[in-house]
Amino acid sequence: MKLKQLEGLLGGLTQFPAPKVELEQYPTGPHIASRMLYTAENSFDDITGKVVADFGCGCGTLAVASALLDAEHVIGIDIDPQSLELAQENSADLELDIDLVWSDIKNLNLKGFLVDAVVMNPPFGTRKKGADMEFLSMGLKVASQAVYSLHKTSTREHIKKAALRDFGAVSAEVLCELRYDLPQSYKFHKKREVDIAVDLWRFVPNARRSS
């Protein structure tokens, strides 16, 4: 599938009608989502034929993108049941088969699944301090091959240090810097759109820990 085709299909997905501020629910736009998954597949062969888990899947954008790129099995995980309903609708509209799991990431138990890659657009940790670290820590425990994640560019050094020193990653690499156009989702947003610099990371877990 070509990048533009992937972006076009993701652009047709239903997004949050009433995003929850406490969960930092921001839609992952089709521009960023398509490039994230396209890079994971075309540069690293981490999607097609693999088991992929989307942490904090929301309305399912990254999970859908993984399925469109022919992942063998896709699992979407979210703490919000309404988001999972949206993800189900989006996957059904495109006739995709995605397993959806209702769970808090820090209490996640995926026994029975051997996950190759984790993809995620985690909370930035602005409402709940450390939320982004909970996602990254669990991602590196679950994935056997790679974790792809978006984090604010301003936190780059902190993310790298935590991944390598605290969470046992073998490598932590910024693949590119992207602009995240954040729509005015909440009442406290004064501007109609906020432009945030984010890094697309690829982390390689220490697979020996689970062998």
Side-chain angles (χ1 to χ4, degrees):
M1 179 176 290
K2 289 190 164 53
L3 178 60
K4 281 292 175 192
Q5 186 184 1
L6 180 61
E7 184 175 349
L9 288 169
L10 297 181
L13 299 181
T14 303
Q15 299 291 345
F16 303 109
K20 298 181 171 78
V21 63
E22 69 275 12
L23 298 178
E24 291 190 59
Q25 286 182 337
Y26 303 114
T28 309
H31 178 83
I32 282 186
S34 58
R35 278 147 187 81
M36 184 176 180
L37 272 295
Y38 197 79
T39 300
E41 174 51 30
N42 285 274
S43 297
F44 300 99
D45 297 320
D46 278 332
I47 306 298
T48 301
K50 304 293 172 63
V51 178
V52 180
D54 177 1
F55 280 14
C57 66
C59 45
T61 305
L62 299 179
V64 164
S66 301
L68 288 170
L69 290 174
D70 295 321
E72 180 187 321
H73 193 101
V74 181
I75 309 153
I77 301 122
D78 207 283
I79 195 173
D80 178 31
Q82 289 166 309
S83 293
L84 292 173
E85 285 177 23
L86 271 180
Q88 179 60 47
E89 286 174 26
N90 282 328
S91 61
D93 286 347
L94 290 170
E95 299 181 347
L96 300 171
D97 187 15
I98 295 171
D99 275 346
L100 296 168
V101 177
W102 181 25
S103 176
D104 189 337
I105 287 299
K106 66 175 181 282
N107 298 323
L108 184 62
N109 184 347
L110 285 180
K111 280 189 177 163
F113 288 108
L114 178 62
V115 174
D116 296 305
V118 168
V119 295
M120 58 185 182
N121 178 16
F124 289 140
T126 51
R127 305 296 293 182
K128 181 189 172 191
K129 192 170 172 57
D132 51 345
M133 293 293 102
E134 284 179 1
F135 274 69
L136 181 54
S137 173
M138 185 59 77
L140 283 163
K141 286 175 185 169
V142 168
S144 64
Q145 291 186 12
V147 175
Y148 292 87
S149 188
L150 296 167
H151 298 273
K152 280 184 178 178
T153 300
S154 59
T155 64
R156 185 177 292 177
E157 289 308 311
H158 173 59
I159 295 291
K160 187 167 189 174
K161 194 180 292 183
L164 296 173
R165 184 190 63 192
D166 301 331
F167 305 147
V170 174
S171 70
E173 179 187 2
V174 175
L175 301 180
C176 61
E177 186 179 317
L178 298 160
R179 306 302 300 184
Y180 196 111
D181 295 322
L182 209 59
Q184 187 182 23
S185 306
Y186 306 114
K187 289 178 182 173
F188 61 80
H189 283 166
K190 297 193 169 49
K191 297 179 183 174
R192 296 194 69 167
E193 203 170 77
V194 183
D195 190 25
I196 298 173
V198 296
D199 291 335
L200 169 56
W201 286 88
R202 182 179 190 263
F203 304 96
V204 176
N206 182 358
R208 288 174 300 176
R209 70 201 166 0
S210 58
S211 57

